[in-house]
């Protein structure tokens, strides 16, 4: 078990962030994603790990979103991994739509990255071209394919109806 001892929560003006006390290199495992409490609905303290399973992540709930993140949450192996080199004292962040299909509390992103998505509401609200630029977990890819197939079915039906 890789512990979370290297991570600390910083609070500034009620705004929480998760900071690392040690440096990591790209690809290095930082900690495991806790799964002691899994529920069927998203909230501010959960991470989506499957189509309808959300795990309460404790300290990791202080992880902020970034459109140019430095960690990924691999929900298949339940690990948080550095996706680039990270310095000691750096804030950790991940791309929320990589795990979240439909968020409980959407917000406006002000990360300032050139590829900023602005509205962070979950993967279902993003175009495929945007999602493709990011690491995505399997449940997100599956739900995306499903949504596209349903849309195609719907369009086919509309066309068929129009031709009647
Ligand atoms: Zn952003």
């Amino acid at each position: 078990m890789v512990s979370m001892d290297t991570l600390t929560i910083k609070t500034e003006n009620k705004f929480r962030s998760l900071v690392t006390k040690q440096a990591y290199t790209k690809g290095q495992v930082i900690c495991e994603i806790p799964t002691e409490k899994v529920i069927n609905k998203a909230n501010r303290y959960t991470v989506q790990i499957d189509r309808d399973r959300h795990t309460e992540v404790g300290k990791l709930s202080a992880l902020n979103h970034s459109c140019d993140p430095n960690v990924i949450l691999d929900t298949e192996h339940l690990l948080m991994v550095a996706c680039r080199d990270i310095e000691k004292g750096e804030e950790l962040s991940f791309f929320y739509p990589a795990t979240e299909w439909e968020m409980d509390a959407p917000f406006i992103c002000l990360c300032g990255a050139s590829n900023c998505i602005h509205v962070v509401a979950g993967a279902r609200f993003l175009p495929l071209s945007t999602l493709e630029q990011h690491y995505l977990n399997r449940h997100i890819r599956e739900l995306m394919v499903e949504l596209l197939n349903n849309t195609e079915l719907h369009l086919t039906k509309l066309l068929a109806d129009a031709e009647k």
Side-chain angles (χ1 to χ4, degrees):
M1 166 97 193
V2 192
S3 86
M4 291 187 195
D5 293 350
T6 60
L7 308 174
T8 181
I9 295 176
K10 202 171 97 182
T11 309
E12 233 172 282
N13 300 324
K14 290 185 182 170
F15 186 77
R16 300 199 310 161
S17 57
L18 193 67
V19 170
T20 173
K21 292 186 258 182
Q22 77 167 64
Y24 290 97
T25 53
K26 184 179 175 175
Q28 197 176 349
V29 172
I30 299 172
C31 68
E32 290 179 15
I33 300 171
T35 50
E36 288 83 33
K37 194 164 180 218
V38 174
I39 54 179
N40 61 13
K41 204 173 169 296
N43 66 45
R44 284 158 198 269
Y45 309 102
T46 60
V47 163
Q48 187 173 0
I49 53 170
D50 211 334
R51 317 176 56 101
D52 34 41
R53 294 198 307 148
H54 305 261
T55 187
E56 289 193 359
V57 290
K59 216 180 198 179
L60 297 189
S61 68
L63 264 177
N64 288 312
H65 163 89
S66 171
C67 300
D68 184 21
N70 53 11
V71 303
I72 59 162
L73 296 183
D74 174 347
T75 61
E76 259 183 272
H77 302 100
L78 296 165
L79 296 172
M80 178 161 89
V81 182
C83 60
R84 57 176 165 79
D85 291 349
I86 301 172
E87 285 172 37
K88 179 181 169 178
E90 226 184 291
E91 179 187 343
L92 302 182
S93 60
F94 85 105
F95 185 70
Y96 284 8
T99 63
E100 306 305 303
W101 178 243
E102 199 166 347
M103 284 168 49
D104 173 54
F107 60 89
I108 303 295
C109 183
L110 301 168
C111 78
S114 58
N115 60 347
C116 183
I117 59 170
H118 305 296
V119 179
V120 185
R124 76 166 296 161
F125 303 104
L126 291 172
L128 196 56
S129 54
T130 302
L131 289 173
E132 276 171 345
Q133 293 165 24
H134 293 272
Y135 170 85
L136 297 174
N137 279 290
R138 187 160 71 179
H139 62 278
I140 295 296
R141 290 195 305 257
E142 284 174 0
L143 286 162
M144 197 73 218
V145 168
E146 219 167 273
L147 181 67
L148 288 171
N149 286 341
N150 287 341
T151 306
E152 200 173 283
L153 265 178
H154 183 66
L155 289 176
T156 310
K157 193 176 169 297
L158 279 181
L159 282 173
D161 286 349
E163 279 167 16
K164 269 178 198 164

